[in-house]
Amino acid sequence: MLYAIIGQDVPDSLDKRIAARPAHLARLQTLQNEGRLLLAGPFPAVDAVDPGAAGFTGSLIVAEFTSLQAARAWADADPYVAAGVYRQATVQPFKKVFPA
């Protein structure tokens, strides 16, 4: 089943994000290589593709896991959690409707 993982950043998280990004992306690449990643990306803090110094307010990951518990465990082990980028990570089941 698909699960949405929504990470909400702490204020002024950009430096922490930059430092933890390679490890974060490596985990996402593993999901992609396994064919389990539907989409992933950050929420810019301003209305721009590249928010510059404004940074990001969080992230969205939609991926396949065997259970809600497995998705939560994966989210809890994210390098952004360990680095203090996320103040909270919410995990919930997700049903893809479009695109079909």
Coordinates of all heavy atoms in Angstrom, one line a residue:
M1 N 0.8 -1.2 0.0 CA 0.0 0.0 0.0 C 0.9 1.2 0.0 O 2.0 1.2 0.5 CB -0.9 0.0 1.2 CG -1.8 1.2 1.3 SD -3.1 0.9 2.5 CE -4.1 2.3 2.2
L2 N 0.3 2.3 -0.5 CA 1.1 3.6 -0.5 C 0.8 4.3 0.8 O -0.3 4.3 1.4 CB 0.6 4.5 -1.7 CG 1.0 4.0 -3.1 CD1 0.3 4.9 -4.1 CD2 2.5 4.0 -3.3
Y3 N 1.9 5.1 1.2 CA 1.8 5.9 2.4 C 2.4 7.3 2.1 O 3.4 7.4 1.4 CB 2.5 5.2 3.6 CG 1.9 4.0 4.0 CD1 2.2 2.8 3.4 CD2 0.9 4.0 4.9 CE1 1.6 1.6 3.8 CE2 0.2 2.8 5.3 CZ 0.6 1.6 4.7 OH -0.1 0.4 5.1
A4 N 1.8 8.3 2.6 CA 2.3 9.7 2.5 C 3.0 10.0 3.8 O 2.5 9.8 4.9 CB 1.2 10.7 2.3
I5 N 4.3 10.4 3.6 CA 5.1 10.9 4.7 C 5.3 12.4 4.6 O 5.8 12.8 3.6 CB 6.5 10.2 4.8 CG1 6.3 8.7 4.9 CG2 7.3 10.7 5.9 CD1 7.5 7.8 4.6
I6 N 4.8 13.1 5.6 CA 4.8 14.6 5.5 C 5.7 15.1 6.6 O 5.4 14.9 7.8 CB 3.4 15.2 5.6 CG1 2.5 14.6 4.5 CG2 3.5 16.7 5.6 CD1 1.1 14.7 4.8
G7 N 6.9 15.6 6.3 CA 7.8 16.1 7.3 C 7.6 17.6 7.4 O 7.5 18.3 6.3
Q8 N 7.5 18.1 8.6 CA 7.4 19.5 8.8 C 8.7 20.0 9.5 O 9.1 19.5 10.5 CB 6.2 19.8 9.7 CG 4.9 19.4 9.0 CD 3.7 19.6 9.9 OE1 3.8 19.5 11.2 NE2 2.6 19.8 9.4
D9 N 9.3 21.0 8.8 CA 10.6 21.5 9.3 C 10.6 22.3 10.5 O 9.6 23.0 10.7 CB 11.3 22.3 8.2 CG 11.9 21.5 7.1 OD1 11.5 20.3 6.9 OD2 12.8 22.0 6.4
V10 N 11.7 22.3 11.3 CA 11.9 23.3 12.3 C 12.2 24.7 11.6 O 12.6 24.7 10.5 CB 13.0 22.9 13.3 CG1 12.7 21.6 13.9 CG2 14.3 22.9 12.5
P11 N 12.0 25.8 12.3 CA 12.4 27.1 11.7 C 13.9 27.1 11.4 O 14.7 26.4 12.1 CB 12.1 28.1 12.8 CG 11.0 27.4 13.7 CD 11.4 25.9 13.6
D12 N 14.2 27.8 10.3 CA 15.6 27.9 9.9 C 16.4 26.6 9.8 O 17.5 26.4 10.3 CB 16.4 28.8 11.0 CG 15.7 30.2 11.1 OD1 15.4 30.8 10.1 OD2 15.6 30.6 12.2
S13 N 15.7 25.7 9.1 CA 16.3 24.3 8.9 C 17.3 24.2 7.7 O 17.8 23.1 7.6 CB 15.1 23.3 8.7 OG 14.4 23.7 7.5
L14 N 17.5 25.2 6.9 CA 18.2 25.1 5.7 C 19.6 24.5 5.9 O 20.0 23.5 5.2 CB 18.3 26.4 4.9 CG 18.9 26.3 3.5 CD1 18.1 25.3 2.6 CD2 18.9 27.7 2.9
D15 N 20.4 25.0 6.8 CA 21.7 24.4 7.0 C 21.7 23.0 7.4 O 22.5 22.2 6.9 CB 22.5 25.3 8.1 CG 22.9 26.6 7.6 OD1 22.9 26.9 6.3 OD2 23.1 27.5 8.4
K16 N 20.8 22.6 8.3 CA 20.6 21.2 8.7 C 20.2 20.3 7.5 O 20.7 19.2 7.3 CB 19.6 21.0 9.8 CG 20.1 21.7 11.1 CD 19.0 21.5 12.1 CE 19.4 22.2 13.4 NZ 18.3 22.1 14.5
R17 N 19.3 20.9 6.6 CA 18.9 20.1 5.4 C 20.0 19.9 4.5 O 20.2 18.8 4.0 CB 17.8 21.0 4.7 CG 16.4 20.7 4.9 CD 15.5 21.5 4.0 NE 14.2 21.0 4.2 CZ 13.6 20.1 3.6 NH1 14.2 19.5 2.6 NH2 12.4 19.7 3.9
I18 N 20.8 20.9 4.3 CA 21.9 20.8 3.3 C 22.9 19.7 3.8 O 23.4 18.9 3.1 CB 22.6 22.2 3.1 CG1 21.7 23.1 2.4 CG2 24.0 22.0 2.4 CD1 22.1 24.5 2.3
A19 N 23.2 19.7 5.1 CA 24.1 18.8 5.7 C 23.6 17.3 5.6 O 24.4 16.4 5.3 CB 24.4 19.1 7.1
A20 N 22.3 17.1 5.8 CA 21.8 15.8 5.9 C 21.2 15.3 4.5 O 20.9 14.1 4.3 CB 20.6 15.7 6.9
R21 N 21.2 16.2 3.5 CA 20.6 15.9 2.2 C 21.2 14.7 1.5 O 20.4 13.8 1.0 CB 20.6 17.1 1.3 CG 19.8 16.9 0.1 CD 19.7 18.3 -0.7 NE 18.7 18.2 -1.7 CZ 19.0 18.0 -3.0 NH1 20.2 17.9 -3.4 NH2 18.0 17.9 -3.9
P22 N 22.5 14.5 1.4 CA 23.0 13.3 0.7 C 22.5 12.0 1.3 O 22.1 11.1 0.5 CB 24.5 13.4 0.9 CG 24.8 14.9 1.0 CD 23.6 15.4 1.8
A23 N 22.5 11.9 2.6 CA 22.0 10.6 3.2 C 20.5 10.5 3.0 O 20.0 9.4 2.8 CB 22.3 10.6 4.7
H24 N 19.7 11.6 3.1 CA 18.3 11.6 2.8 C 18.0 11.1 1.4 O 17.2 10.2 1.2 CB 17.7 13.0 3.1 CG 16.3 13.2 2.7 ND1 15.3 12.7 3.5 CD2 15.7 13.8 1.7 CE1 14.1 13.0 3.0 NE2 14.4 13.7 1.9
L25 N 18.7 11.7 0.4 CA 18.5 11.3 -1.0 C 18.9 9.9 -1.2 O 18.3 9.2 -2.1 CB 19.3 12.2 -1.9 CG 18.8 13.7 -1.9 CD1 19.6 14.5 -2.9 CD2 17.3 13.8 -2.2
A26 N 19.9 9.4 -0.6 CA 20.4 8.0 -0.8 C 19.2 7.0 -0.4 O 19.0 6.0 -1.0 CB 21.6 7.7 0.0
R27 N 18.5 7.3 0.7 CA 17.4 6.4 1.1 C 16.3 6.5 0.1 O 15.7 5.5 -0.2 CB 16.9 6.9 2.5 CG 17.9 6.6 3.6 CD 17.4 7.0 5.0 NE 16.6 5.9 5.5 CZ 15.3 6.0 5.9 NH1 14.7 7.2 5.9 NH2 14.6 5.0 6.4
L28 N 16.0 7.7 -0.4 CA 15.0 7.8 -1.4 C 15.4 7.1 -2.7 O 14.5 6.4 -3.3 CB 14.7 9.3 -1.7 CG 14.0 10.1 -0.6 CD1 14.0 11.5 -0.9 CD2 12.6 9.5 -0.3
Q29 N 16.6 7.1 -3.0 CA 17.1 6.4 -4.2 C 16.9 4.9 -4.1 O 16.6 4.2 -5.0 CB 18.6 6.7 -4.5 CG 19.1 6.1 -5.8 CD 18.5 6.7 -7.0 OE1 18.4 8.0 -7.2 NE2 17.9 5.9 -7.8
T30 N 17.1 4.4 -2.9 CA 16.9 3.0 -2.6 C 15.4 2.6 -2.8 O 15.1 1.6 -3.5 CB 17.3 2.6 -1.2 OG1 18.7 2.9 -1.0 CG2 17.0 1.2 -0.9
L31 N 14.5 3.5 -2.3 CA 13.1 3.2 -2.6 C 12.8 3.2 -4.1 O 12.0 2.4 -4.6 CB 12.2 4.3 -1.9 CG 12.1 4.2 -0.4 CD1 11.2 5.3 0.1 CD2 11.4 2.8 0.0
Q32 N 13.4 4.2 -4.8 CA 13.2 4.3 -6.2 C 13.7 3.1 -6.9 O 13.1 2.5 -7.8 CB 13.8 5.6 -6.8 CG 13.6 5.7 -8.3 CD 14.1 7.0 -8.8 OE1 14.0 8.1 -8.2 NE2 14.6 7.0 -10.0
N33 N 14.9 2.6 -6.6 CA 15.5 1.5 -7.2 C 14.7 0.2 -7.0 O 14.7 -0.7 -7.8 CB 16.9 1.2 -6.7 CG 17.9 2.3 -7.1 OD1 17.6 3.1 -7.9 ND2 19.0 2.3 -6.4
E34 N 14.0 0.2 -5.8 CA 13.1 -1.0 -5.5 C 11.7 -0.8 -6.2 O 10.9 -1.7 -6.0 CB 13.0 -1.1 -4.0 CG 14.2 -1.5 -3.3 CD 14.2 -1.3 -1.8 OE1 13.1 -0.8 -1.3 OE2 15.1 -1.8 -1.1
G35 N 11.5 0.3 -6.9 CA 10.2 0.5 -7.5 C 9.1 0.9 -6.6 O 7.9 0.7 -6.9
R36 N 9.4 1.4 -5.4 CA 8.5 1.7 -4.3 C 8.2 3.2 -4.2 O 7.3 3.6 -3.4 CB 8.9 1.1 -3.0 CG 9.1 -0.4 -3.0 CD 9.8 -1.0 -1.8 NE 9.3 -0.4 -0.6 CZ 10.1 -0.3 0.5 NH1 11.3 -0.8 0.5 NH2 9.6 0.2 1.6
L37 N 8.9 4.0 -4.8 CA 8.8 5.5 -4.7 C 7.8 6.1 -5.7 O 8.1 5.9 -6.9 CB 10.1 6.2 -4.7 CG 10.1 7.7 -4.5 CD1 9.7 8.0 -3.1 CD2 11.5 8.2 -4.7
L38 N 6.8 6.7 -5.3 CA 5.8 7.3 -6.2 C 6.3 8.8 -6.5 O 6.4 9.2 -7.7 CB 4.4 7.3 -5.7 CG 3.3 7.9 -6.6 CD1 3.2 7.1 -7.9 CD2 2.0 8.0 -5.9
L39 N 6.6 9.5 -5.4 CA 7.1 10.9 -5.6 C 7.7 11.3 -4.3 O 7.4 10.8 -3.2 CB 6.0 11.8 -6.0 CG 4.8 12.1 -5.1 CD1 5.1 13.2 -4.1 CD2 3.6 12.4 -5.9
A40 N 8.6 12.3 -4.4 CA 9.2 12.9 -3.2 C 9.7 14.3 -3.6 O 10.2 14.6 -4.7 CB 10.4 12.1 -2.7
G41 N 9.6 15.2 -2.6 CA 10.2 16.6 -2.8 C 9.8 17.5 -1.6 O 9.0 17.1 -0.8
P42 N 10.5 18.6 -1.6 CA 10.3 19.6 -0.5 C 9.3 20.6 -0.8 O 8.9 20.8 -2.0 CB 11.7 20.2 -0.4 CG 12.2 20.2 -1.8 CD 11.7 19.0 -2.4
F43 N 8.8 21.3 0.2 CA 7.9 22.4 0.1 C 8.7 23.7 0.2 O 9.2 24.0 1.3 CB 6.9 22.4 1.3 CG 6.0 21.2 1.3 CD1 6.0 20.3 2.4 CD2 5.2 20.8 0.2 CE1 5.2 19.2 2.5 CE2 4.4 19.7 0.3 CZ 4.4 18.9 1.4
P44 N 8.9 24.4 -0.8 CA 9.6 25.7 -0.7 C 8.9 26.7 0.2 O 7.7 26.7 0.2 CB 9.6 26.3 -2.2 CG 9.4 25.0 -3.0 CD 8.5 24.1 -2.2
A45 N 9.7 27.4 1.0 CA 9.1 28.4 1.9 C 8.5 29.6 1.2 O 7.7 30.3 1.9 CB 10.2 28.8 2.9
V46 N 8.9 29.8 0.0 CA 8.3 30.9 -0.8 C 7.9 30.4 -2.1 O 8.2 29.3 -2.5 CB 9.4 32.1 -1.0 CG1 9.7 32.7 0.3 CG2 10.6 31.6 -1.7
D47 N 7.1 31.2 -2.9 CA 6.6 30.8 -4.1 C 7.6 30.8 -5.2 O 7.6 31.7 -6.1 CB 5.4 31.6 -4.5 CG 4.6 31.1 -5.7 OD1 4.8 30.0 -6.1 OD2 3.7 31.9 -6.2
A48 N 8.5 29.8 -5.2 CA 9.6 29.8 -6.1 C 10.2 28.3 -6.2 O 10.2 27.7 -5.1 CB 10.7 30.7 -5.8
V49 N 10.6 27.9 -7.3 CA 11.2 26.6 -7.4 C 12.5 26.5 -6.6 O 12.7 25.5 -5.9 CB 11.5 26.2 -8.9 CG1 12.2 24.9 -9.0 CG2 10.2 26.2 -9.7
D50 N 13.3 27.6 -6.7 CA 14.5 27.7 -5.8 C 14.3 28.8 -4.8 O 14.4 29.9 -5.2 CB 15.7 28.0 -6.7 CG 17.0 28.0 -5.9 OD1 16.9 27.9 -4.6 OD2 18.0 28.2 -6.5
P51 N 14.0 28.4 -3.6 CA 13.6 29.4 -2.6 C 14.9 30.1 -2.0 O 14.7 31.0 -1.2 CB 12.9 28.6 -1.5 CG 13.5 27.3 -1.6 CD 13.8 27.1 -3.0
G52 N 16.1 29.7 -2.4 CA 17.3 30.4 -1.9 C 17.3 30.3 -0.4 O 17.0 29.3 0.2
A53 N 17.7 31.4 0.2 CA 17.9 31.4 1.7 C 16.6 31.2 2.4 O 16.7 30.9 3.6 CB 18.6 32.8 2.0
A54 N 15.5 31.4 1.8 CA 14.2 31.2 2.5 C 14.0 29.7 2.9 O 13.4 29.4 3.9 CB 13.0 31.6 1.6
G55 N 14.7 28.8 2.1 CA 14.7 27.4 2.5 C 13.3 26.7 2.2 O 12.6 27.1 1.3
F56 N 13.1 25.7 3.1 CA 11.9 24.9 2.9 C 11.1 24.7 4.2 O 11.7 24.9 5.3 CB 12.4 23.5 2.4 CG 13.1 23.6 1.1 CD1 14.5 23.7 1.0 CD2 12.4 23.6 -0.1 CE1 15.2 23.8 -0.2 CE2 13.1 23.7 -1.3 CZ 14.5 23.8 -1.4
T57 N 9.9 24.4 4.1 CA 9.0 24.2 5.3 C 8.8 22.8 5.6 O 8.2 22.5 6.6 CB 7.7 25.0 5.1 OG1 7.0 24.4 4.0 CG2 7.9 26.4 4.9
G58 N 9.1 21.9 4.7 CA 8.9 20.5 4.9 C 9.1 19.7 3.6 O 9.6 20.2 2.7
S59 N 8.6 18.4 3.7 CA 8.8 17.5 2.5 C 7.6 16.6 2.5 O 6.9 16.3 3.5 CB 10.0 16.7 2.7 OG 11.2 17.4 2.8
L60 N 7.4 16.1 1.2 CA 6.3 15.0 1.0 C 7.0 13.9 0.3 O 7.7 14.0 -0.7 CB 5.2 15.6 0.1 CG 4.2 14.6 -0.4 CD1 3.4 13.9 0.8 CD2 3.3 15.2 -1.4
I61 N 6.8 12.7 0.8 CA 7.2 11.4 0.2 C 6.0 10.5 0.1 O 5.3 10.4 1.1 CB 8.3 10.8 1.1 CG1 9.5 11.7 1.2 CG2 8.7 9.4 0.5 CD1 10.5 11.2 2.4
V62 N 5.8 10.0 -1.0 CA 4.7 9.0 -1.2 C 5.4 7.7 -1.7 O 6.0 7.7 -2.8 CB 3.6 9.4 -2.2 CG1 2.5 8.4 -2.3 CG2 3.0 10.7 -1.7
A63 N 5.3 6.7 -0.9 CA 6.0 5.4 -1.3 C 5.2 4.2 -0.8 O 4.3 4.3 0.1 CB 7.4 5.4 -0.7
E64 N 5.6 3.1 -1.3 CA 4.9 1.8 -1.0 C 5.7 1.2 0.2 O 6.9 1.0 0.2 CB 4.9 0.9 -2.2 CG 4.2 -0.4 -1.9 CD 4.1 -1.3 -3.2 OE1 4.5 -0.8 -4.3 OE2 3.8 -2.5 -3.0
F65 N 4.9 0.7 1.2 CA 5.4 0.0 2.3 C 4.5 -1.2 2.6 O 3.3 -1.2 2.2 CB 5.5 0.9 3.5 CG 6.6 2.0 3.4 CD1 6.2 3.2 2.9 CD2 7.9 1.7 3.7 CE1 7.2 4.2 2.8 CE2 8.9 2.7 3.5 CZ 8.5 4.0 3.1
T66 N 4.9 -2.1 3.3 CA 4.1 -3.3 3.6 C 3.0 -3.0 4.7 O 2.1 -3.8 4.7 CB 5.0 -4.5 4.1 OG1 5.7 -4.0 5.3 CG2 6.0 -5.0 3.1
S67 N 3.2 -2.0 5.5 CA 2.3 -1.7 6.5 C 2.5 -0.2 7.0 O 3.6 0.4 6.7 CB 2.4 -2.6 7.7 OG 3.7 -2.4 8.3
L68 N 1.5 0.3 7.7 CA 1.7 1.6 8.3 C 2.9 1.6 9.3 O 3.6 2.6 9.3 CB 0.4 2.0 9.0 CG 0.3 3.4 9.7 CD1 0.7 4.5 8.8 CD2 -1.0 3.6 10.4
Q69 N 3.0 0.5 10.0 CA 4.1 0.4 11.0 C 5.5 0.5 10.2 O 6.4 1.2 10.7 CB 4.0 -0.9 11.8 CG 5.1 -1.1 12.8 CD 4.9 -2.4 13.6 OE1 4.1 -3.2 13.3 NE2 5.8 -2.5 14.6
A70 N 5.6 -0.2 9.1 CA 6.8 -0.2 8.3 C 7.1 1.2 7.8 O 8.2 1.7 7.8 CB 6.8 -1.2 7.2
A71 N 6.0 1.9 7.3 CA 6.2 3.3 6.8 C 6.7 4.2 8.0 O 7.5 5.1 7.7 CB 4.9 3.8 6.2
R72 N 6.1 4.1 9.1 CA 6.5 4.9 10.3 C 7.9 4.6 10.7 O 8.6 5.6 11.0 CB 5.5 4.7 11.4 CG 4.2 5.4 11.3 CD 3.4 5.3 12.6 NE 2.1 5.9 12.4 CZ 0.9 5.5 12.8 NH1 0.8 4.4 13.5 NH2 -0.2 6.2 12.6
A73 N 8.3 3.4 10.7 CA 9.7 3.0 11.1 C 10.6 3.7 10.0 O 11.7 4.2 10.4 CB 9.8 1.5 11.1
W74 N 10.3 3.6 8.8 CA 11.2 4.2 7.7 C 11.3 5.7 7.9 O 12.3 6.3 7.9 CB 10.6 3.9 6.3 CG 11.5 4.2 5.2 CD1 12.5 3.4 4.7 CD2 11.7 5.5 4.6 NE1 13.2 4.1 3.7 CE2 12.7 5.4 3.6 CE3 11.0 6.7 4.7 CZ2 13.0 6.4 2.8 CZ3 11.4 7.8 3.9 CH2 12.4 7.6 3.0
A75 N 10.1 6.3 8.2 CA 10.1 7.8 8.4 C 10.9 8.2 9.6 O 11.7 9.1 9.6 CB 8.7 8.3 8.5
D76 N 10.8 7.4 10.7 CA 11.5 7.7 12.0 C 13.0 7.6 11.8 O 13.8 8.2 12.5 CB 11.1 6.8 13.1 CG 9.7 7.1 13.6 OD1 9.1 8.2 13.3 OD2 9.1 6.2 14.3
A77 N 13.5 6.8 10.8 CA 14.9 6.6 10.6 C 15.5 7.5 9.5 O 16.6 7.4 9.2 CB 15.1 5.1 10.2
D78 N 14.7 8.4 9.1 CA 15.1 9.4 8.0 C 16.3 10.3 8.6 O 16.2 10.7 9.7 CB 14.0 10.3 7.6 CG 14.3 11.0 6.3 OD1 15.2 11.9 6.4 OD2 13.7 10.7 5.3
P79 N 17.3 10.5 7.8 CA 18.4 11.4 8.3 C 17.9 12.8 8.6 O 18.5 13.4 9.5 CB 19.3 11.4 7.1 CG 19.1 10.1 6.4 CD 17.6 9.8 6.6
Y80 N 16.8 13.3 8.0 CA 16.3 14.6 8.4 C 15.8 14.6 9.8 O 15.8 15.6 10.5 CB 15.3 15.0 7.4 CG 15.8 15.6 6.1 CD1 14.9 16.0 5.1 CD2 17.1 15.8 5.8 CE1 15.4 16.5 3.9 CE2 17.6 16.3 4.7 CZ 16.7 16.7 3.7 OH 17.2 17.2 2.5
V81 N 15.3 13.5 10.3 CA 14.8 13.3 11.7 C 16.0 13.4 12.6 O 16.1 14.1 13.5 CB 14.0 12.1 11.9 CG1 13.7 11.8 13.3 CG2 12.7 12.1 11.1
A82 N 17.0 12.6 12.3 CA 18.2 12.5 13.1 C 19.0 13.8 13.2 O 19.5 14.2 14.2 CB 19.2 11.4 12.6
A83 N 18.9 14.6 12.1 CA 19.7 15.9 12.0 C 18.9 17.0 12.6 O 19.4 18.1 12.7 CB 20.0 16.2 10.5
G84 N 17.6 16.8 13.0 CA 16.8 17.8 13.5 C 16.2 18.8 12.5 O 15.8 19.9 12.8
V85 N 16.1 18.3 11.3 CA 15.4 19.1 10.2 C 13.9 19.1 10.4 O 13.3 20.1 10.4 CB 15.7 18.6 8.8 CG1 14.9 19.3 7.7 CG2 17.2 18.6 8.5
Y86 N 13.4 17.9 10.7 CA 11.9 17.8 10.9 C 11.6 18.0 12.3 O 12.2 17.4 13.2 CB 11.4 16.4 10.5 CG 11.5 16.1 9.0 CD1 11.5 14.8 8.6 CD2 11.5 17.1 8.0 CE1 11.5 14.5 7.2 CE2 11.5 16.8 6.7 CZ 11.5 15.5 6.3 OH 11.5 15.1 4.9
R87 N 10.6 18.8 12.6 CA 10.0 18.9 14.0 C 9.0 17.8 14.2 O 8.7 17.4 15.3 CB 9.5 20.3 14.3 CG 8.2 20.7 13.5 CD 7.7 22.0 13.9 NE 6.7 22.5 13.0 CZ 5.4 22.1 13.1 NH1 5.0 21.2 14.0 NH2 4.5 22.6 12.2
Q88 N 8.4 17.4 13.0 CA 7.4 16.3 13.1 C 7.3 15.6 11.7 O 7.5 16.3 10.7 CB 6.0 17.0 13.4 CG 4.9 16.0 13.4 CD 3.6 16.7 13.7 OE1 3.5 17.8 14.1 NE2 2.5 16.0 13.5
A89 N 7.1 14.3 11.7 CA 6.9 13.6 10.5 C 5.6 12.8 10.7 O 5.5 12.0 11.6 CB 8.0 12.6 10.2
T90 N 4.6 13.1 9.9 CA 3.3 12.4 9.9 C 3.3 11.3 8.8 O 3.7 11.6 7.7 CB 2.2 13.4 9.7 OG1 2.3 14.5 10.6 CG2 0.8 12.8 9.7
V91 N 2.7 10.2 9.1 CA 2.6 9.1 8.1 C 1.2 8.7 8.1 O 0.5 8.4 9.1 CB 3.5 7.9 8.5 CG1 3.4 6.8 7.5 CG2 5.0 8.3 8.7
Q92 N 0.6 8.6 6.9 CA -0.7 8.1 6.7 C -0.9 7.4 5.4 O -0.2 7.6 4.5 CB -1.7 9.3 6.8 CG -1.5 10.4 5.8 CD -2.3 11.6 6.2 OE1 -2.1 12.3 7.2 NE2 -3.2 12.0 5.3
P93 N -1.9 6.5 5.4 CA -2.2 5.7 4.1 C -2.6 6.7 3.0 O -3.2 7.8 3.3 CB -3.3 4.8 4.5 CG -3.3 4.7 6.0 CD -2.8 6.0 6.5
F94 N -2.2 6.3 1.8 CA -2.5 7.2 0.7 C -3.1 6.3 -0.5 O -2.5 5.3 -0.8 CB -1.2 7.9 0.2 CG -1.4 8.8 -1.0 CD1 -1.8 10.1 -0.9 CD2 -1.0 8.3 -2.3 CE1 -1.9 10.9 -2.0 CE2 -1.2 9.1 -3.4 CZ -1.6 10.4 -3.2
K95 N -4.1 6.8 -1.1 CA -4.7 6.1 -2.2 C -4.6 7.0 -3.5 O -5.1 8.1 -3.6 CB -6.2 5.8 -2.0 CG -6.8 5.1 -3.2 CD -8.3 4.8 -2.9 CE -8.9 4.2 -4.2 NZ -10.3 3.9 -4.0
K96 N -3.8 6.5 -4.4 CA -3.5 7.2 -5.7 C -4.7 7.0 -6.6 O -5.2 5.9 -6.8 CB -2.3 6.7 -6.4 CG -2.0 7.4 -7.7 CD -0.8 6.8 -8.3 CE -0.6 7.4 -9.7 NZ -0.3 6.5 -10.7
V97 N -5.3 8.1 -7.1 CA -6.4 8.1 -8.0 C -6.0 8.6 -9.4 O -6.2 7.9 -10.4 CB -7.6 8.9 -7.5 CG1 -8.7 8.9 -8.5 CG2 -8.1 8.3 -6.2
F98 N -5.3 9.7 -9.4 CA -4.8 10.3 -10.7 C -3.3 10.6 -10.6 O -2.9 10.9 -9.5 CB -5.6 11.5 -11.1 CG -7.0 11.3 -11.5 CD1 -8.0 11.6 -10.7 CD2 -7.2 10.9 -12.8 CE1 -9.3 11.3 -11.1 CE2 -8.5 10.6 -13.2 CZ -9.6 10.9 -12.4
P99 N -2.6 10.5 -11.6 CA -3.0 10.0 -12.9 C -3.2 8.5 -12.8 O -2.6 7.8 -12.1 CB -1.9 10.3 -13.9 CG -0.7 10.5 -13.0 CD -1.2 11.0 -11.7
A100 N -4.2 8.1 -13.7 CA -4.6 6.7 -13.7 C -3.5 5.8 -14.3 O -2.7 6.2 -15.0 CB -5.9 6.5 -14.4

